[in-house]
């Protein structure tokens, strides 16, 4: 009879059988069944062997031909910001909006139904998809907003548009100078246009009404629901404190204690928040203090933002933007200050994750890491470059040599690839955004991410992007940078777990690791590349608990499909 590690004959709590199990261990072991006990993987193997581990209380579930894989690890996301977009009064995105006027009409409707003087906030507008190809301005908003302060947040998170009332409350006027790392948009007369880039938006963010810890926890819960629906069982929050300072730590405690935040969280404090917590650079042990199970929540690192976004032309490039030959973007921190902060955080024991979209910013990040004088893996820090969108070949060589990790924003290929090619970067540079094949060839360990709310969560879509490199218009963009399905899967599972120091506990379905699983409608390695994003996540399991089942799928002793037929034979339900 198969035995648990250590020779114990205790029964499994849950056995999934009758399908495929992609363990994604080092050798790519496959099985047809998996057994779980006390929240961890007991074993994977044949149906017969795993069912022999059953006892009186074991839940047996026939997968009906479905495929179990390790739960996805989302290595760069913003749960609280994402939750706010799901809870927002105004969806300013495209779709559903085709023009600036469409957004203005939504603001007008909100103004009519909102108490006098209260804030109106909308999210996800994208100037490059609006008919006018411009940002909304305060003049657009003033016409319909009355006495309400209004704030619209760009899809990238790097810009906002505020109306005159919001600008007045924030003290932003004609005489206000641009802050370090930011810019105040101006109209033809020199007055603020309402468009605020990067750090220039912070004074307005600071005025938004404060929410209670309970309200913030529920907002995190909305994001949690979306992650679980996509099969995500671990999230890296790369920017805790971005909108509410260290209060976001308390919100996490409440959300996890109440069960509203079910994925595991690996947190990265925003650098500015860390520096507000005391003199010097406090280390991880001095800051955490959450009294939470570290399996559920752990502060791993600190996030620094080095530059902006390519689509906002604030990403810092070594060559000018194709559409604006005099513009190369901006560094939000001078390189010497970036290097000083990295060194201080490294010395204090933090993993450092630096946002870098443009290759000039990536150069400054690598210079800062290089100045540490140690290979990052040897130092136990695993420092990272976030997004890493326009990284060059020579920079990949440096990353590999120093053990610097990457979290690639691969969904840019689909969501912005056409515009990067035709407008911002030109064909040569656009064809190399998120160069996964080059990174893999050089031995750079990387994860993939959606940066939600910037793009939708589903990792299956990210895998599709990595394998096909197809734009919204259906064009190939840099096909030489494609990777195979298994590489993309690992960048959302086993390799992604390494980015967060979790490779001994998750990322693959091996005995003793967390029983975190995504149950897919079919085997992604046997699915035509063009159909990968059409696969569904039929169930999500965290620590052996089934925390989400797709609508129309009945979970029990067997899994039934939308028509109610149940498989008990190990074959797909008829």
């Amino acid at each position: 009879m198969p035995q648990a590690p250590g020779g114990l004959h205790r029964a499994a709590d849950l056995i999934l059988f009758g399908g495929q199990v992609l363990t994604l261990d080092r050798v790519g072991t496959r099985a047809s069944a998996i057994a779980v006990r006390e929240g961890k993987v007991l074993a994977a193997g044949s149906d017969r062997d795993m069912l022999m581990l059953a006892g009186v209380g074991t839940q047996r579930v026939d997968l009906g031909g479905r495929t179990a894989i390790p739960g996805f690890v989302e290595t760069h996301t913003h749960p609280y910001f994402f939750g706010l977009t799901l809870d927002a009064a105004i969806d300013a995105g495209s779709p559903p909006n085709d023009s600036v006027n469409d957004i203005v009409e939504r603001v007008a409707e909100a103004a009519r139904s909102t108490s006098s003087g209260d804030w109106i906030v909308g999210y996800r507008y994208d100037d490059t998809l609006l008919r006018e190809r411009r940002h909304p301005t305060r003049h657009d908003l003033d016409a319909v907003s009355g006495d309400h302060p209004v704030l619209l947040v760009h899809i990238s998170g790097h810009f906002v548009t505020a109306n005159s009332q919001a600008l007045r409350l924030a003290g932003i006027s004609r005489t206000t100078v641009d802050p370090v790392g930011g810019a105040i948009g101006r109209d033809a007369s020199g007055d603020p246009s309402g468009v605020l880039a990067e750090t220039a938006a912070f004074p307005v963010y600071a005025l938004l009404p404060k929410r209670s810890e309970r309200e913030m926890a529920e907002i995190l819960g909305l994001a949690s629901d979306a992650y679980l629906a996509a099969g995500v069982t671990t999230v890296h929050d790369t920017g805790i404190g971005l909108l509410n300072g260290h209060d976001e730590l308390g919100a996490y405690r409440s959300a996890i204690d109440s069960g509203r935040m079910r994925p595991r969280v690996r947190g990265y404090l925003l650098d500015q928040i860390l520096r507000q917590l005391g003199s010097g650079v406090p280390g991880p042990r001095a800051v955490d203090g959450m009294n939470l199970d570290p399996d559920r929540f752990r502060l791993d690192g600190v996030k620094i933002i080095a530059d902006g976004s390519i689509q906002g032309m604030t990403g810092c490039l070594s060559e000018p933007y194709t559409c604006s030959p005099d513009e190369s973007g901006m560094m939000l921190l001078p390189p010497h200050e970036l290097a000083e902060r990295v060194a201080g955080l490294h010395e204090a024991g933090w993993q450092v994750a630096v946002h870098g979209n443009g290759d000039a910013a990536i150069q400054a990040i690598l210079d800062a890491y290089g100045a540490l004088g140690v290979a990052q893996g040897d130092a136990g820090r695993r420092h990272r470059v976030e997004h890493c969108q326009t990284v060059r070949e020579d920079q990949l060589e440096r990353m590999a040599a120093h053990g610097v990790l990457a979290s690639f924003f691969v969904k840019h290929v689909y969501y912005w690839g056409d515009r990067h090619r035709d407008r911002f970067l030109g064909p040569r540079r656009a064809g190399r955004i998120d160069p996964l094949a080059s990174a893999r060839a050089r031995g750079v360990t990387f994860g993939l991410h959606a940066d939600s709310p910037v793009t939708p969560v589903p990792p299956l879509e990210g895998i599709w992007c990595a394998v096909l490199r197809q734009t919204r218009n259906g064009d190939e963009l840099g096909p030489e940078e494609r990777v195979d399905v298994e590489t993309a899967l690992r960048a959302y599972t086993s390799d992604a777990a390494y980015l967060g120091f979790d490779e001994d506990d998750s990322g693959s379905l091996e005995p003793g690791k967390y029983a975190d699983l995504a149950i897919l409608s079919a085997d992604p390695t046997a699915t035509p590349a063009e159909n990968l994003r059409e696969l569904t996540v039929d169930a999500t399991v965290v620590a052996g608990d089934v925390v989400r089942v797709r609508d129309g799928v009945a979970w029990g002793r067997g899994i039934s499909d939308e028509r109610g037929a149940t498989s008990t034979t190990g074959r797909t339900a008829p």
Side-chain angles (χ1 to χ4, degrees), residues 264-539:
R264 305 178 195 279
V265 179
R266 303 298 176 242
Y268 294 77
L269 274 176
L270 199 65
D271 179 45
Q272 294 94 319
I273 303 304
L274 180 68
R275 287 183 287 117
Q276 293 170 7
L277 296 180
S279 59
V281 183
R285 292 184 180 179
V287 172
D288 195 339
M290 294 282 283
N291 297 317
L292 288 170
D293 180 352
D295 290 345
R296 299 294 310 280
F297 181 97
R298 188 179 69 231
L299 282 179
D300 276 348
V302 174
K303 162 78 170 296
I304 299 175
I305 304 175
D307 70 341
S309 72
I310 301 298
Q311 56 267 36
M313 296 199 299
T314 53
C316 191
L317 298 170
S318 60
E319 300 176 30
Y321 283 88
T322 300
C323 58
S324 184
D326 296 327
E327 180 60 67
S328 297
M330 62 167 57
M331 289 290 294
L332 303 194
L333 288 173
H336 72 276
E337 185 175 344
L338 172 63
E340 289 172 0
R341 292 191 188 180
V342 166
L345 293 166
H346 176 89
E347 183 65 26
W350 291 100
Q351 181 189 28
V352 184
V354 187
H355 164 121
N357 272 314
D359 66 318
I362 294 169
Q363 188 71 24
I365 295 167
L366 296 181
D367 287 346
Y369 289 156
L372 299 175
V374 293
Q376 310 316 318
D378 293 343
R381 299 289 191 270
R382 300 187 187 177
H383 299 324
R384 301 166 40 165
V385 181
E386 304 301 298
H387 308 319
C388 210
Q389 193 176 164
T390 60
V391 64
R392 304 189 308 260
E393 295 291 326
D394 63 301
Q395 294 171 334
L396 289 172
E397 296 280 1
R398 289 186 70 187
M399 292 175 70
H402 291 282
V404 177
L405 311 177
S407 181
F408 283 111
F409 193 176
V410 71
K411 292 191 180 186
H412 261 110
V413 174
Y414 176 71
Y415 284 98
W416 279 279
D418 296 305
R419 285 167 283 168
H420 281 1
R421 179 195 60 213
D422 300 337
R423 181 173 177 180
F424 300 119
L425 297 174
R428 174 180 57 83
R429 287 183 292 178
R432 276 194 44 78
I433 62 171
D434 303 296
L436 304 188
S438 293
R440 184 188 184 199
R442 282 156 181 75
V444 176
T445 301
F446 60 84
L448 302 178
H449 67 257
D451 199 16
S452 299
V454 181
T455 65
V457 173
L460 286 166
E461 181 181 63
I463 291 167
W464 173 85
C465 288
V467 172
L468 272 191
R469 290 189 67 94
Q470 181 175 301
T471 69
R472 281 191 181 191
N473 290 345
D475 299 330
E476 291 182 341
L477 188 67
E480 65 277 4
E481 293 298 344
R482 290 172 174 158
V483 293
D484 58 61
V485 173
E486 183 173 337
T487 296
L489 270 173
R490 289 183 180 278
Y492 266 116
T493 55
S494 56
D495 289 344
Y498 182 85
L499 266 65
F501 301 93
D502 280 329
E503 71 275 11
D504 291 335
D505 299 309
S506 66
S508 60
L509 299 177
E510 299 177 76
K513 291 191 175 185
Y514 301 138
D516 296 349
L517 299 91
I519 310 302
L520 308 184
S521 55
D523 181 352
T525 66
T527 299
E530 62 271 17
N531 297 333
L532 283 168
R533 66 173 175 171
E534 297 171 14
L535 298 180
T536 57
V537 177
D538 287 352

